[in-house]
Amino acid sequence: MSGGRLTTHVLDTARGKPAAGVRITLYRISGDMRHKIGETVTNADGRSDAPMLAGADLTEGSYELVFAAGDYLRATGQAAKGVLFLDEIPIRFGISDAGAHYHVPLLISPFAYSTYRGS
């Protein structure tokens, strides 16, 4: 694939496996405004079937991925109804090189999460 791309995946660290069925929404940030530009659901490997952005659609700027962790945690029996400690998890990040690969993974459990720039 030529040009840059944005990919992500979700790992369930409490269960020790990929998190399938997590809804992920992608926003472009412009000042105080957030513009929805995409949405996907993770597959059995905890990944989207295609990059969230690729080629000419990937431009320099600020972005936010919002992971619907609460829905996933409830669906897998790791959380009950009611108020959750973690529900929607936003990760705001910047893209400074539109020709590069940006991989933003999320590692989740009912009470913690982490992320990093992967490869």
Side-chain angles (χ1 to χ4, degrees), residues 44-104:
D45 195 34
R47 300 175 183 276
S48 59
D49 290 328
M52 296 293 294
L53 284 176
D57 292 331
L58 181 72
T59 59
E60 292 182 8
S62 296
Y63 293 85
E64 184 175 79
L65 288 167
V66 178
F67 298 83
D71 293 343
Y72 168 80
L73 293 169
R74 285 186 179 107
T76 58
Q78 297 181 74
K81 292 181 181 178
V83 178
L84 299 176
F85 179 69
L86 294 175
D87 194 355
E88 290 194 343
I89 299 173
I91 299 174
R92 191 167 286 192
F93 59 96
I95 291 179
S96 60
D97 179 358
H101 179 197
Y102 286 80
H103 185 66
V104 183

Side-chain angles (χ1 to χ4, degrees), residues 5-66:
R5 65 190 190 281
L6 170 64
T7 58
T8 186
H9 75 275
V10 184
L11 298 173
D12 183 333
T13 57
R15 297 172 71 204
K17 60 187 196 176
V22 177
R23 183 175 35 86
I24 305 168
T25 307
L26 175 64
Y27 297 92
R28 170 121 178 144
I29 307 301
S30 179
D32 291 338
M33 301 296 294
R34 192 169 81 155
H35 306 280
K36 181 178 174 180
I37 57 175
E39 188 171 270
T40 192
V41 175
T42 58
N43 60 24
D45 195 34
R47 300 175 183 276
S48 59
D49 290 328
M52 296 293 294
L53 284 176
D57 292 331
L58 181 72
T59 59
E60 292 182 8
S62 296
Y63 293 85
E64 184 175 79
L65 288 167
V66 178

